[in-house]
Amino acid sequence: MILYLLLVVGSSLGWLLYAQAKGLSPAGVVLTPVLGAFPLILLIEGGRQALLGHRPQAAMLLGMGLVLVGYIFSGTMARSMMFPGDPLPVPAHPPGLELVEYQASDGTPLRGAAVRAQGTRRASAVYFHGNAESAARNFDIGRELAKLGFDVFLAEYRGYGGCPGSPSEAGLFLDGEAAVASACERFGVAREELVLIGRSLGTGVACE
């Protein structure tokens, strides 16, 4: 047990040092190494049980370890940590806004929302939300910008807001392009006239 604890603590400290050296935010400083060390612990203990002749226990531990290793290397866990989506969809009649159904160039259907400027229009904007959010979580931002004279398009991503598909860097860029095209068409403006706003994850999409 002491060996296992040392393994987890050592890998945690190693990740912390690496993250600091690379200028990364070590939010998963404990979670990441624990998830990585746990399958290794199962495999080590399974091997030990096999050497002791405890075949049923060894088979169970080794099987669990191999399943977890396969899960980690499949990329499913990493994807869920990188793109923690929010399933809340834009309703058919969002209060004070319009539902916008549009489509990425690869055929992925998306559901965003739009609101028109109050009074004289100063500009048109596309808002790209952050992780663990959806367009439906940002209605208030759209309304506040509309009060300031902005047409606002609240963009959505695949795998977020009840939209189909699995999020990825390339996929989010396609979704961003689709949002820009839809906003230009809806607001009657050229691409170079749009103001692009990004929060957290959305800053990467806006910059691209």
Side-chain angles (χ1 to χ4, degrees):
M1 180 59 69
I2 294 177
L3 176 62
Y4 301 155
L5 290 175
L6 288 175
L7 178 62
V8 173
V9 171
S11 56
S12 297
L13 290 175
W15 167 242
L16 176 61
L17 293 173
Y18 173 80
Q20 289 180 337
K22 294 294 184 180
L24 304 174
S25 177
V29 64
V30 175
L31 180 62
T32 302
V34 167
L35 290 174
F38 187 58
L40 182 59
I41 291 172
L42 290 174
L43 294 174
I44 293 173
E45 181 61 19
R48 192 175 76 87
Q49 292 296 328
L51 291 175
L52 293 174
H54 302 156
R55 292 185 178 180
Q57 295 89 335
M60 180 181 68
L61 291 168
L62 290 172
M64 291 172 60
L66 290 173
V67 168
L68 284 174
V69 168
Y71 176 70
I72 291 172
F73 281 97
S74 72
T76 303
M77 184 179 74
R79 185 179 301 277
S80 65
M81 294 175 70
M82 290 173 61
F83 303 109
D86 186 327
L88 183 68
V90 175
H93 303 286
L97 296 95
E98 307 169 41
L99 168 68
V100 183
E101 296 183 317
Y102 58 112
Q103 186 172 303
S105 60
D106 64 352
T108 302
L110 301 164
R111 288 167 60 95
V115 57
R116 297 281 182 172
Q118 296 181 15
T120 303
R121 182 175 72 179
R122 299 173 60 189
S124 298
V126 179
Y127 182 84
F128 298 104
H129 66 74
N131 248 332
E133 296 181 351
S134 67
R137 300 287 185 190
N138 291 283
F139 289 167
D140 287 343
I141 291 176
R143 296 188 191 100
E144 289 301 314
L145 288 172
K147 291 178 183 178
L148 298 174
F150 286 85
D151 291 335
V152 184
F153 188 99
L154 299 175
E156 194 55 281
Y157 317 128
R158 65 192 64 205
Y160 290 73
C163 295
S166 180
S168 66
E169 183 179 9
L172 263 60
F173 291 159
L174 291 179
D175 300 340
E177 285 287 346
V180 167
S182 183
C184 288
E185 180 180 358
R186 176 167 290 269
F187 299 143
V189 297
R191 289 173 63 96
E192 56 269 20
E193 296 179 86
L194 280 178
V195 176
L196 303 183
I197 305 171
R199 178 182 181 276
S200 188
L201 174 71
T203 60
V205 182
C207 287
E208 175 69 16

